[in-house]
Amino acid sequence: STGQISSTFSVMANRAFVYGCYGYTGVLIVREAIEKGVPIVIGGRNREKCEALAKKHGLDVEKDVFVFNLDDEKAVDDAFTALPDDVTTVMSVAGPYSETFDIMIGACLKSKLHYLDVTGEIEVFEKAFHLDSKAKEAGITILPGCGLDVVPTDCLAAHLKQRMPDAVSLELAFGTLGAVESDMPSASRGTMRTMMNGLGKSTLHRKDGEIVPISYGSRKIPFTAEKSTPSTLIPWGDVSTAYHSTGIPNIKCYMMTPGSLDRTMWWASFSFVRWILRSLPQSWKEKAIPEWGPTEESFKNCKGVFWGEVTNSNGDKLSSRCSSLPSYPLTAVTAVEMMKRLLLENDPEKHGFQTPSTMFG
């Protein structure tokens, strides 16, 4: 019951530090944490925006707000040293993580603070995996991908592995159902920045345990029993994490691409088009990035849908489906739930690199 949850958090001894608090996803995570009673302090680059958010949610502007940039390693280390002693966990909501992960995880290792984020970038997951031994030495957990990417798909992958322990290949897919195409929720500023950084790059999959490029591919995915939807191969984070969660050596990931989007993805697969996209000036890319993100109205009547299929060496197949809240609302819920669990229990057996399913089942 709500009363039991409130009682639990009223005696919680530790707090989490949410950095990147005033971005689109950060605002949702801060609001979810406050509503669920998860104790936090907040921070970011811009003092005015941080303090405005703190005042909105009743946080102490003097004691619960920490302002610093991520382009100065010493400033980051000093800021982490200044964090209150009861802060044990950092939730980074500052992307693209290809630009922020190294300095944030470095500070977490030095300060012995658990690290969480909501990345979807394969290279970041792989970096995190290779820091496993250092994290264990520091006595911390590194748990990237606490949002839409990769919580539902990672749990689906683990579920399918349980159903078929001898699986040698895995295909995963995700999408949104419940709204007409023109009303589909758009992407946030941070997500679009990450996407722009990836323009013109090859799609990736995992083959025989290695992450390698793959050419354009699409198929119809049965997200529901009644309907299959065109979906296109993309370099989704599970290319990294599902392997670490399940050991399945061959992994492909698809995104629902209804209507004209499927054709657009096909054009973008050609090498000359990728070259053009890579050559676009940064100023043009910046103009394509929205100032904020989707409206809450756009999520009404929507749901996230996920599908997975495993195959063994005999050619036997098993598939499973699940559904959830749509993208950003789901990310807020799962990110805060993971913060909560780490704050409540610091299990030495779970130190090092973890995925959502290896951490929580």
Side-chain angles (χ1 to χ4, degrees):
S1 72
T2 303
Q4 290 173 323
I5 292 173
S6 298
S7 175
T8 299
F9 291 131
S10 66
V11 295
M12 188 179 289
N14 300 318
R15 290 188 287 176
F17 173 44
V18 180
Y19 185 85
C21 64
Y22 54 78
Y24 181 86
T25 304
V27 166
L28 295 179
I29 288 174
V30 168
R31 183 176 69 184
E32 177 76 9
I34 296 297
E35 289 179 354
K36 294 292 167 56
V38 178
I40 58 172
V41 298
I42 63 175
R45 298 178 176 91
N46 185 295
R47 178 171 298 279
E48 184 179 351
K49 292 180 179 179
C50 286
E51 291 183 352
L53 189 65
K55 291 176 182 176
K56 180 178 180 179
H57 291 294
L59 297 174
D60 190 318
V61 171
E62 297 297 326
K63 297 179 180 179
D64 298 334
V65 174
F66 298 85
V67 181
F68 56 92
N69 289 313
L70 296 181
D71 53 4
D72 183 338
E73 184 176 350
K74 184 179 184 306
V76 176
D77 290 343
D78 289 346
F80 273 52
T81 301
L83 289 171
D85 291 340
D86 61 353
V87 170
T88 61
T89 301
V90 174
M91 169 61 75
S92 174
V93 204
Y97 293 94
S98 57
E99 300 174 7
T100 64
F101 174 78
D102 289 347
I103 195 163
M104 287 291 280
I105 194 62
C108 284
L109 288 166
K110 292 173 188 174
S111 301
K112 302 186 185 306
L113 299 174
H114 301 303
Y115 174 89
L116 294 80
D117 67 29
V118 292
T119 188
E121 297 159 74
I122 292 173
E123 65 179 287
V124 174
F125 288 117
E126 288 299 289
K127 281 184 177 181
F129 169 71
H130 289 293
L131 288 171
D132 178 65
S133 59
K134 288 186 176 181
K136 288 176 178 175
E137 290 172 9
I140 69 169
T141 296
I142 301 178
L143 178 54
C146 294
L148 170 72
D149 194 345
V150 291
V151 174
T153 40
D154 188 61
C155 292
L156 187 58
H159 162 78
L160 284 163
K161 174 68 173 180
Q162 287 180 342
R163 291 187 64 196
M164 183 180 279
D166 62 342
V168 296
S169 70
L170 167 69
E171 293 192 340
L172 295 166
F174 71 99
T176 302
L177 288 180
V180 297
E181 186 179 346
S182 60
D183 292 332
M184 285 289 185
S186 58
S188 71
R189 180 173 177 80
T191 300
M192 282 299 295
R193 280 197 68 206
T194 301
M195 291 172 65
M196 287 296 173
N197 282 357
L199 275 181
K201 294 182 179 179
S202 299
T203 293
L204 300 172
H205 72 142
R206 196 178 280 273
K207 183 178 181 181
D208 299 328
E210 299 296 323
I211 297 173
V212 294
I214 186 173
S215 58
Y216 169 84
S218 68
R219 57 169 293 181
K220 288 192 172 182
I221 300 290
F223 287 103
T224 68
E226 298 78 24
K227 184 181 180 182
S228 294
T229 308
S231 302
T232 303
L233 280 172
I234 64 164
W236 197 239
D238 295 273
V239 170
S240 169
T241 53
Y243 176 72
H244 300 305
S245 298
T246 69
I248 297 174
N250 301 290
I251 301 170
K252 293 179 180 177
C253 298
Y254 295 82
M255 179 180 71
M256 182 188 291
T257 48
S260 60
L261 184 55
D262 185 52
R263 192 70 174 173
T264 301
M265 298 287 280
W266 176 74
W267 274 108
S269 69
F270 288 98
S271 57
F272 75 92
V273 176
R274 292 204 306 269
W275 178 84
I276 292 171
L277 293 172
R278 288 195 300 269
S279 302
L280 290 172
Q282 188 62 34
S283 59
W284 184 92
K285 294 179 183 180
E286 288 293 330
K287 289 179 182 178
I289 298 174
E291 286 300 318
W292 192 236
T295 63
E296 291 194 34
E297 185 72 20
S298 67
F299 292 116
K300 288 186 176 180
N301 304 316
C302 289
K303 66 177 180 179
V305 287
F306 310 90
W307 170 93
E309 183 177 77
V310 282
T311 307
N312 65 15
S313 57
N314 295 323
D316 302 321
K317 295 179 182 291
L318 285 174
S319 63
S320 293
R321 290 187 292 258
C322 65
S323 61
S324 74
L325 292 168
S327 56
Y328 294 100
L330 174 69
T331 291
V333 169
T334 54
V336 171
E337 177 66 19
M338 291 184 176
M339 285 196 303
K340 179 195 78 174
R341 293 187 184 196
L342 267 178
L343 291 174
L344 287 172
E345 183 178 7
N346 179 21
D347 182 0
E349 294 297 317
K350 296 295 185 178
H351 289 167
F353 169 79
Q354 299 288 340
T355 69
S357 69
T358 62
M359 187 73 189
F360 301 120

